[in-house]
Amino acid sequence: MTRCKTGGLHKQVVRLLSVGLVVVGMVFSVASNAAEPLSSWRDGATRDAIVRFVTEVSDTSSSAYVSPSERIAVFDNDGTLWAEQPMYFQLMFAIHRVEAMAADHPEWKTREPFASLLKGDVAAALAGGMPAIVELVMETHANVSTDEFAAAVNDWLATARHPKTGYKYTEMVYQPMLELLDYLRANGFTTYIVSGGGIDFMRPWTEAVYGIPPEQVVGSSVKTRYEVLDGVPTLVRAPEMNFIDDKEGKPVGIHTHIGRRPIMAVGNSDGDFQMLEWVTARPGPSLGVIVHHTDAERAWAYDRDSHIGKLDRALDEGRIVGGSLSI
């Protein structure tokens, strides 16, 4: 299903209802070798709306032409470019870090949420909600140098496997979205990730997986300080949040890191709503894309009641501004 309207969630919003990418069909892959643009996508209104938008803003004779310097597209990561079930992959990494660091933290045996994790009871550990998750991330992601943290991320990604599929986490990416990234870049777009995930968690691998270099990644961050340790200038990650790149934070993060207002935004949850709203409210042409996971057979089906990637307000707003519905 797709809805689009010129003048839309403010200008134009396209909803992809079936992704696991579903409108398009989902394949796990680390590279796009498409012989033609968007070759995994089904023919139909969704694909046509994207192609029409890209064609118009890239055509110098079009009234909707946008110069390459302004041709910016921003993508959420979790649930948009790669999967996010049964829990955010960075949280999986944090749980792994607890196991790897436990020998140096005997106090964790009696301290939650670490005690439950060390007993293998993830549900009990996460029962404390966001405060427990924040404590878990702070303890496992801070008080190390940025280089040490990047190495730990890369080491984990090299060996860890998704509990359902057995794939590496960097293989749990959506082939149609890889094709969309390639298609946009082939038409003069600069593509950015704007994610609630940690910026230092994503930057070590996004270029190899998505073709998006680290300087084009915007994410949540902890405070970082400069120290000279044993004569070596070092950046150390502190156990204190610096910026949360989610919901209202996403437009702020875009402004802070990019300095230009994108003309296209792609997300999958209410955490992306403000980014979609702000981008599609810009003067001139814009496009918003919402990925709606409805493919339980090949991936996962979830939206309003999901504990991960909840899609509620954005789904309603898409219905309101979307114009006529085609299937």
Side-chain angles (χ1 to χ4, degrees):
M1 299 182 187
T2 175
R3 299 168 180 273
C4 60
K5 176 183 178 181
T6 303
L9 188 162
H10 283 269
K11 288 281 191 305
Q12 187 177 71
V13 174
V14 175
R15 289 194 301 115
L16 308 186
L17 294 190
S18 299
V19 193
L21 270 236
V22 164
V23 185
V24 292
M26 184 197 72
V27 180
F28 295 115
S29 174
V30 291
S32 174
N33 296 312
E36 60 182 80
L38 308 183
S39 63
S40 294
W41 294 61
R42 293 179 185 170
D43 291 334
T46 297
R47 185 180 185 278
D48 290 348
I50 292 172
V51 171
R52 182 170 59 252
F53 174 77
V54 172
T55 300
E56 289 178 353
V57 300
S58 305
D59 182 356
T60 55
S61 66
S62 168
S63 60
Y65 174 74
V66 176
S67 65
S69 63
E70 300 290 336
R71 228 175 285 165
I72 294 169
V74 289
F75 287 74
D76 171 57
N77 184 48
D78 296 304
T80 300
L81 294 179
W82 74 354
E84 60 183 353
Q85 297 287 351
M87 66 179 70
Y88 295 122
F89 295 169
Q90 187 170 357
L91 184 53
M92 298 276 203
F93 169 69
I95 291 171
H96 161 78
R97 291 279 289 168
V98 169
E99 297 168 354
M101 298 167 63
D104 296 326
H105 293 274
E107 73 278 8
W108 285 355
K109 292 180 181 180
T110 56
R111 176 183 160 197
E112 294 293 353
F114 308 97
S116 291
L117 285 178
L118 293 173
K119 295 173 185 175
D121 193 342
V122 176
L126 301 183
M130 188 55 64
I133 292 173
V134 170
E135 183 176 11
L136 175 62
V137 170
M138 286 297 100
E139 288 280 341
T140 60
H141 287 42
N143 295 316
V144 294
S145 74
T146 53
D147 290 341
E148 289 170 329
F149 185 75
V153 171
N154 284 328
D155 288 346
W156 179 73
L157 290 173
T159 58
R161 295 291 187 275
H162 189 273
K164 177 181 177 179
T165 67
Y167 284 99
K168 291 181 179 181
Y169 287 98
T170 49
E171 295 173 331
M172 294 291 294
V173 299
Y174 296 122
Q175 177 68 25
M177 302 308 282
L178 296 178
E179 293 172 10
L180 179 56
L181 289 169
D182 287 345
Y183 176 59
L184 291 172
R185 290 191 289 256
N187 284 275
F189 279 74
T190 304
T191 54
Y192 287 79
I193 289 174
V194 179
S195 172
I199 193 168
D200 285 343
F201 176 76
M202 294 181 288
R203 281 178 166 173
W205 53 269
T206 57
E207 187 163 23
V209 175
Y210 302 133
I212 297 178
E215 64 269 22
Q216 289 166 211
V217 175
V218 181
S220 298
S221 60
V222 297
K223 291 187 177 181
T224 304
R225 62 180 183 266
Y226 176 83
E227 296 184 13
V228 178
L229 301 176
D230 297 325
V232 179
T234 306
L235 293 177
V236 178
R237 292 169 52 83
E240 184 179 354
M241 287 302 302
N242 177 57
F243 178 70
I244 298 177
D245 190 53
D246 194 35
K247 298 179 181 176
E248 296 89 349
K250 288 200 172 189
V252 175
I254 292 169
H255 173 75
T256 302
H257 288 263
I258 301 174
R260 295 179 186 268
R261 195 166 183 170
I263 67 170
M264 181 174 178
V266 185
N268 79 296
S269 76
D270 284 358
D272 305 311
F273 181 88
Q274 288 82 1
M275 176 175 75
L276 287 158
E277 182 178 49
W278 183 64
V279 168
T280 58
R282 71 181 294 278
S286 65
L287 179 69
V289 179
I290 297 174
V291 176
H292 183 186
H293 292 272
T294 62
D295 190 344
E297 181 179 346
R298 290 178 294 175
W300 297 271
Y302 60 99
D303 47 49
R304 298 186 190 276
D305 298 323
S306 178
H307 66 292
I308 296 291
K310 182 177 180 180
L311 179 64
D312 189 16
R313 181 186 179 191
L315 191 59
D316 287 339
E317 291 285 336
R319 293 178 188 276
I320 291 170
V321 305
S324 61
L325 175 67
S326 60
I327 299 175

